[in-house]
Amino acid sequence: MPPIVFRATLEPGGPSFMPTQVVVVPAAVLAALGKGTKRVVCTIHGQPLRLGLLPLESGGRYLMLNKDVCRAIGIQLGQELHLGITIDPNPDHVDLPSKLVEAFAAWPEAETAFNAYSGAHRRAMARLVNEAKQRETRARRAVQLVERLGRGLHPFRGN
């Protein structure tokens, strides 16, 4: 399927507990993607991003872009964007941070446990490691996560 091209404005929004930047996807684009589509590949300024189509209270859907992503691709609030969007051919794909890859190499059972989780859980675990600002923090989080998974514990709960 070729990308569906549309224009939209980067707006403030997102859930109340996590205000961020959003792009509201027009109804015609949603219809072209199909009703059951939840994960998409969206291209903004030539940068492909794997994103979820999140529900609006009004019934539409939006794409959430955090400030780091906006900064990296050079966009800001109020800017009109030219986007290309298509259904993600591999919706459960997770980009693993290098520190997490290294930790899994040392503890393969943890990687097996990791892969048993849903795509959303795996993305959350990868984000936990990847969003740390300092290299040492990313390494520590990767080791802690892999130890929890390797021991059969929940990745986020303190059990």
Side-chain angles (χ1 to χ4, degrees), residues 14-15 30 37-38 52-64:
L30 293 173
T37 303
K38 301 226 187 292
L53 281 172
L54 303 170
L56 287 167
E57 289 182 19
S58 63
R61 295 209 172 256
Y62 69 96
L63 303 166
M64 186 167 59

Side-chain angles (χ1 to χ4, degrees), residues 77-98:
L77 284 175
Q79 184 175 348
E80 184 179 65
L81 306 174
H82 301 269
L83 302 99
I85 193 170
T86 188
I87 297 170
D88 191 335
N90 187 4
D92 288 331
H93 174 79
V94 178
D95 290 321
L96 294 178
S98 61

Side-chain angles (χ1 to χ4, degrees), residues 3-71:
I4 301 163
V5 178
F6 67 101
R7 292 178 187 219
T9 302
L10 185 63
E11 307 172 12
S16 61
F17 64 88
M18 185 175 57
T20 186
Q21 296 74 230
V22 301
V23 172
V24 177
V25 179
V29 173
L30 293 173
L33 289 170
K35 187 173 179 150
T37 303
K38 301 226 187 292
R39 302 284 307 165
V40 295
V41 176
C42 183
T43 304
I44 305 171
H45 283 232
Q47 177 72 40
L49 303 167
R50 286 189 136 99
L51 300 169
L53 281 172
L54 303 170
L56 287 167
E57 289 182 19
S58 63
R61 295 209 172 256
Y62 69 96
L63 303 166
M64 186 167 59
L65 302 168
N66 71 36
K67 64 181 177 184
D68 293 334
V69 168
C70 291
R71 192 175 313 122

Side-chain angles (χ1 to χ4, degrees), residues 50-156:
R50 286 189 136 99
L51 300 169
L53 281 172
L54 303 170
L56 287 167
E57 289 182 19
S58 63
R61 295 209 172 256
Y62 69 96
L63 303 166
M64 186 167 59
L65 302 168
N66 71 36
K67 64 181 177 184
D68 293 334
V69 168
C70 291
R71 192 175 313 122
I73 60 177
I75 59 176
Q76 55 190 313
L77 284 175
Q79 184 175 348
E80 184 179 65
L81 306 174
H82 301 269
L83 302 99
I85 193 170
T86 188
I87 297 170
D88 191 335
N90 187 4
D92 288 331
H93 174 79
V94 178
D95 290 321
L96 294 178
S98 61
K99 295 294 181 193
L100 195 52
V101 171
E102 291 171 22
F104 282 145
W107 202 332
E109 300 86 357
E111 185 172 15
T112 301
F114 175 84
N115 288 326
Y117 280 92
S118 71
H121 269 101
R122 292 192 317 269
R123 281 188 292 280
M125 287 184 259
R127 252 192 326 270
L128 173 73
V129 173
N130 200 41
E131 289 182 349
K133 301 290 183 207
Q134 297 189 10
R135 184 172 33 96
E136 295 82 11
T137 306
R138 287 190 297 276
R140 185 181 69 249
R141 287 182 182 180
V143 168
Q144 289 171 341
L145 178 63
V146 167
E147 284 178 353
R148 293 188 63 72
L149 291 168
R151 291 191 172 112
L153 301 173
H154 191 279
F156 302 115

